[in-house]
Amino acid sequence: MPRKTALITGVTGQDGSYLTDFLIKKGYKIIGVKRRSSSFNTKRIDHIYNDIKQSKNFIPYYGDLTDSSNILRIIQSTKPDEIYNLGAQSHVHTSFEIPEYSANADALGTLRILEAIRVLKLQKKTKFYQASTSEIFGNTEIPQNERTPFRPRSPYAISKLYAYWTTVNYREAYDIFAVNGILFNHEGPRRGETFVSRKITRAVSEIYRKKRKFFTLGNLNAKRDWGSAKDYVESMWLMLKAKTPSDYVISTGKSYSVKKFVEEAFKYINIKISWKGKGLKEIGVNKKTGEVYVRVDPVYFRPTDVDELRGDSSKARRELKWRPKTTFQELVSEMMKSDLKEIK
Ligand code: NAP
Ligand code: GDD
């Protein structure tokens, strides 16, 4: 059988790099779309470039989701079997600062790829995966599944909702095998340092290594359904292997607060945290010594935040036979282990 080719946008990101590792092991050739940047942005995929065997399976292209001519040309010259659209301005808080750019990359970027598939008449050949998100649910019923109404609460979530419906519409209107993976938060050692999970594991590691005394966070009470990115990229591939295209929630089914994440990270270095005070005065202290390790800084508050995301992934478990393999405790331990190694 000829080898399958997969085009991945956002290949330099957390999920893009884990998906590349996963698909290369499955025998795929990867067309990796990366942005030009003024400094190196390929840290997460350098292990592929540097491995002679693996690098043969990886073809890099410069590309940007905001440039339709570029998207069209890459798809025209590579005609991939599968496209995974993981590229995005993915930071929710930042999307309030750059709403128009977020919409251009996240909403219109998705449209540009689907239009390219249509214009190039690749409907019968190319399957399309859209990186949708639990953020599209906003503050709504708990747990959330594929039938839960959407109430997005950020420019990021609104852009992703446009992309969600565009994917559904191109599936229905043009018979493209196009799916939305509605993934809940997923993390790992390669997570970007400004997302709360990695910010916490890095800061706790720095406290352990005596490089800092405390760190600041925003909304301590938000709850998220945190899973492992490595587990979640498998679901993307499974969705494109299904008989018929459909949209799937991918989640663990358990949610924990930001505070609980902090406690779990400190537990890894044998420190118990207790919380004192309220609102902006709330602090996280070392139960034994009284040292203050966590403070609140309103700079991290969002104009509108989502209180709790907890997913019901029974459809994916039933139809795709997918399930998460990593517990919350194992995830935090894996991230702490990696950051303690990195921060010497
Ligand atoms: P990430 O680490 O922030 O990676 C985003 C990737 O998109 C990076 O490779 C980035 O390139 C690239 N990118 C940004 N703007 C672009 C543009 N205009 N054109 C082309 N590429 C662009 O995000 P992630 O955590 O891997 O998430 C992957 C996708 O899943 C995103 O679409 C995200 O919104 C979605 N998602 C993530 C989660 C999660 O919990 N991780 C949950 C649900 C959905 P640079 O490296 O050059 O910045
Ligand atoms: N980033 C950040 N930094 N978040 C903080 C902080 C802080 O200092 N303090 C508290 N939080 C709270 C946020 O207000 C939010 O409620 C929660 O921690 C999680 O924030 P992030 O880690 O930034 O993730 P997110 O849930 O907003 O978005 C991530 O998950 C989405 C899926 O639900 C991103 O990966 C999105 O791209 C993804 O779609």
Side-chain angles (χ1 to χ4, degrees), residues 90 133-134 156 185 191 194 196 199 218-219 222 224 302 305:
S90 74
T133 161
S134 48
Y156 166 79
N185 297 51
R191 183 58 143 156
T194 59
V196 79
K199 182 174 166 183
N219 180 359
R224 291 291 182 272
R302 296 163 187 193
D305 204 347

Side-chain angles (χ1 to χ4, degrees), residues 64-284:
D64 198 301
L65 287 161
T66 61
D67 182 338
S68 49
S69 61
N70 156 267
I71 295 295
L72 187 73
R73 201 171 53 249
I74 296 176
I75 297 177
Q76 185 177 37
S77 60
T78 59
K79 296 192 177 53
D81 299 296
E82 297 172 7
I83 296 178
Y84 295 87
N85 183 31
L86 309 185
Q89 190 304 95
S90 74
H91 203 273
V92 176
H93 198 177
T94 306
S95 77
F96 288 95
E97 305 298 326
I98 47 170
E100 187 180 328
Y101 176 74
S102 303
N104 194 357
D106 300 10
L108 294 181
T110 309
L111 176 73
R112 290 181 183 109
I113 296 178
L114 285 162
E115 260 302 280
I117 295 175
R118 182 167 87 101
V119 168
L120 297 168
K121 299 196 178 3
L122 290 171
Q123 291 94 322
K124 294 271 174 288
K125 178 175 168 71
T126 305
K127 294 182 175 182
F128 176 77
Y129 172 88
Q130 167 59 14
S132 190
T133 161
S134 48
E135 271 289 308
I136 59 178
F137 293 120
N139 278 343
T140 179
E141 60 204 44
I142 300 164
Q144 298 94 17
N145 64 27
E146 294 79 2
R147 294 175 305 282
T148 304
F150 303 126
R151 303 222 39 209
R153 276 170 70 79
S154 65
Y156 166 79
I158 296 163
S159 306
K160 284 285 188 175
L161 191 53
Y162 174 94
Y164 172 95
W165 283 120
T166 303
T167 302
V168 172
N169 183 240
Y170 274 61
R171 176 167 80 218
E172 292 173 353
Y174 307 116
D175 212 16
I176 296 175
F177 193 113
V179 304
N180 285 292
I182 310 171
L183 271 55
F184 283 60
N185 297 51
H186 46 277
E187 323 291 315
R190 295 186 199 165
R191 183 58 143 156
E193 288 90 349
T194 59
F195 297 96
V196 79
S197 60
R198 187 80 197 286
K199 182 174 166 183
I200 294 169
T201 57
R202 277 181 68 85
V204 172
S205 300
E206 284 169 7
I207 287 172
Y208 184 77
R209 297 276 185 230
K210 305 214 178 314
K211 286 188 187 288
R212 68 153 79 211
K213 291 205 181 319
F214 71 94
F215 61 103
T216 52
L217 291 171
N219 180 359
L220 296 170
N221 299 312
K223 287 185 172 170
R224 291 291 182 272
D225 179 333
W226 276 297
S228 155
K230 262 187 253 167
D231 294 352
Y232 283 30
V233 295
E234 185 191 12
S235 76
M236 302 174 183
W237 175 72
L238 287 172
M239 282 179 223
L240 293 193
K241 270 187 32 145
K243 259 206 176 119
T244 47
S246 190
D247 309 313
Y248 293 92
V249 159
I250 298 296
S251 64
T252 71
K254 290 191 175 142
S255 62
Y256 299 90
S257 65
V258 170
K259 270 188 198 166
K260 183 70 193 156
F261 201 110
V262 170
E263 290 167 23
E264 198 61 38
F266 275 107
K267 200 166 144 194
Y268 189 83
I269 53 167
N270 294 318
I271 289 176
K272 275 194 180 155
I273 293 292
S274 61
W275 300 94
K276 293 186 175 155
K278 280 215 157 41
L280 292 178
K281 296 246 159 67
E282 187 156 14
I283 48 174

Side-chain angles (χ1 to χ4, degrees), residues 14-25:
Q14 172 189 251
D15 290 8
S17 67
Y18 284 128
L19 182 65
T20 300
D21 293 343
F22 177 84
L23 291 179
I24 284 183
K25 275 201 200 108

